[in-house]
Amino acid sequence: RIGFFGGIDDYVVDLALLERVARQIPQASLVVIGDATCSMDSLVRHPNVHWLGFRPYEQIPAYGATFDVALMPWLDNEWIRHCNPIKLKEYLALGVPVVSTDFPEVRHYADVVAIARAADDFVALVRDALDGRPVGTPTCRRARVANATWDVQARRLLELAEATA
């Protein structure tokens, strides 16, 4: 099961890349969860694509935990080049293998995320993860984001405020 959860906007998500994954790995189910602000027709016409639409946020971790590979199929544009996606940390916290297109922020996680430089690489990295050759281990993925919780961040802010008071 290959999966993506989040908002589906045509200026963020590379729908053609998702379609390529569905077409080139037909034996796997591609599960897409989230509201779409663009047409999903070309993607959902593939028999192995399952677009579930919006799901309540509290249910998302349960869906994500069932993914054999989680996807970050971002377009290459200014928006993505300057993003710091929470989704990356959510996927890593679940411990599932992650395959992403290349953008500056994801490079900080190259030890636990498979980063594709081109569409063919993306599909090959998804196949590698499905075949038991993902980047990192579940324990390493979770450890990389263990200090990225809101509680940890709030403690850091309080410590900074107390240090300057």
Side-chain angles (χ1 to χ4, degrees), residues 150-165:
W150 290 114
D151 289 339
V152 170
Q153 299 306 317
R155 272 196 301 275
R156 285 183 183 153
L157 284 174
L158 288 173
E159 288 169 4
L160 285 171
E162 290 171 0
T164 60

Side-chain angles (χ1 to χ4, degrees), residues 99-117:
V99 175
S100 179
T101 53
D102 188 20
F103 64 99
E105 185 60 27
V106 79
R107 293 176 196 148
H108 299 290
Y109 296 88
D111 59 320
V112 290
V113 174
I115 303 170
R117 308 277 189 257

Side-chain angles (χ1 to χ4, degrees), residues 131-152:
D131 290 341
R133 295 183 313 276
V135 174
T137 66
T139 301
C140 291
R141 291 182 207 109
R142 288 184 186 107
R144 283 291 270 118
V145 294
N147 289 324
T149 67
W150 290 114
D151 289 339
V152 170

